[in-house]
Amino acid sequence: RSTQAKTLFPYTTLFRSSLGCLYYLGDVPELTRRVHALLRRAEERGNLYAGADLRTRFTFIWLAADDPSRAEREIEEALSKWSHGGFHLQHFNSLMALGQKDLYTGEVERAEARMKAQMPALKGSLLLRIQGLRVELANLQGRLALALSTSAASPEASFRAAERAAASLEKERADWATPLGSLLRASVAAGRGDAAKALAKIGRAHV
């Protein structure tokens, strides 16, 4: 059993990286095909780690299929089999995935409330020492702020929150994070009615 666990962990980490590349490349058909195949393999082998990872991190495939309810069910199933002690990577993935799902369904206040409720546990977990996770978090926070601005009587507070998220992304000095910050700033500029600035920021986001 110990030998099997040592073998499965690097295998799971490897396919997570390859699937992440497909996600950012926008190759949804191939991402979907691989996730379903890997889920079947994980279930056949009783690999709870891989199953939880796939179900919490790559729920985008169900959003792409216009099935947000399935996305939420997959996350719930994964967490029902996972430890409830502490705040692990799978909990972080679930927080991000449910936020994505709520953006898709227009339940932005629900996502914002969840984010605030889980933030103390997330910070206490030390997961935010990992740059990639900080980038994902800031990007989602910025997008939630932008979504909230569309229904706010006075959207300026939401715009400032999106700008803070953009600044966090730019602070990382990562080639893939800076364009995300530029996209947030472009959306803020557009929301304020400054089309020229929005277009300039979009241009800076092109890599």
Side-chain angles (χ1 to χ4, degrees):
R1 186 183 182 89
S2 177
T3 301
Q4 183 187 39
K6 290 178 181 178
T7 303
L8 290 176
F9 180 80
Y11 172 76
T12 303
T13 303
L14 178 63
F15 74 60
R16 165 207 275 253
S17 299
S18 66
L19 293 176
C21 291
L22 290 171
Y23 172 81
Y24 281 104
L25 286 170
D27 192 345
V28 178
E30 181 61 15
L31 176 63
T32 301
R33 186 189 70 78
R34 291 196 193 185
V35 169
H36 284 302
L38 289 165
L39 264 176
R40 286 194 298 270
R41 185 178 300 179
E43 290 168 353
E44 289 168 359
R45 297 184 176 186
N47 187 344
L48 292 179
Y49 176 76
D53 201 59
L54 290 162
R55 285 191 165 92
T56 58
R57 188 158 184 82
F58 298 105
T59 49
F60 172 79
I61 65 169
W62 291 294
L63 297 185
D66 193 27
D67 194 353
S69 296
R70 171 76 183 276
E72 190 163 12
R73 288 198 306 273
E74 292 290 342
I75 294 169
E76 290 173 352
E77 180 176 347
L79 292 184
S80 70
K81 300 175 182 178
W82 198 255
S83 171
H84 297 290
F87 194 95
H88 307 144
L89 181 60
Q90 289 71 21
H91 300 118
F92 174 85
N93 291 341
S94 298
L95 178 62
M96 297 298 99
L98 288 170
Q100 295 266 26
K101 191 277 299 181
D102 289 337
L103 278 172
Y104 186 86
T105 56
E107 301 171 280
V108 188
E109 290 81 6
R110 182 185 183 192
E112 185 74 2
R114 184 188 305 107
M115 184 76 72
K116 289 180 179 178
Q118 295 191 27
M119 192 56 64
L122 172 56
K123 290 181 177 178
S125 71
L126 305 182
L127 284 171
L128 294 181
R129 291 187 176 187
I130 303 171
Q131 185 185 57
L133 303 190
R134 294 197 303 270
V135 169
E136 290 183 24
L137 176 64
N139 187 38
L140 179 59
Q141 287 175 320
R143 291 162 59 218
L144 288 175
L146 290 170
L148 287 168
S149 74
T150 63
S151 59
S154 178
E156 192 55 34
S158 296
F159 289 154
R160 289 196 296 270
E163 288 176 323
R164 288 193 295 273
S168 295
L169 290 165
E170 293 157 355
K171 184 179 177 182
E172 295 295 340
R173 298 185 180 278
D175 289 343
W176 68 291
T178 302
L180 296 175
S182 296
L183 288 174
L184 290 178
R185 292 192 185 277
S187 297
V188 170
R192 288 173 173 156
D194 191 340
K197 186 175 182 180
L199 287 171
K201 293 296 182 182
I202 290 174
R204 293 185 60 184
H206 180 72
V207 293

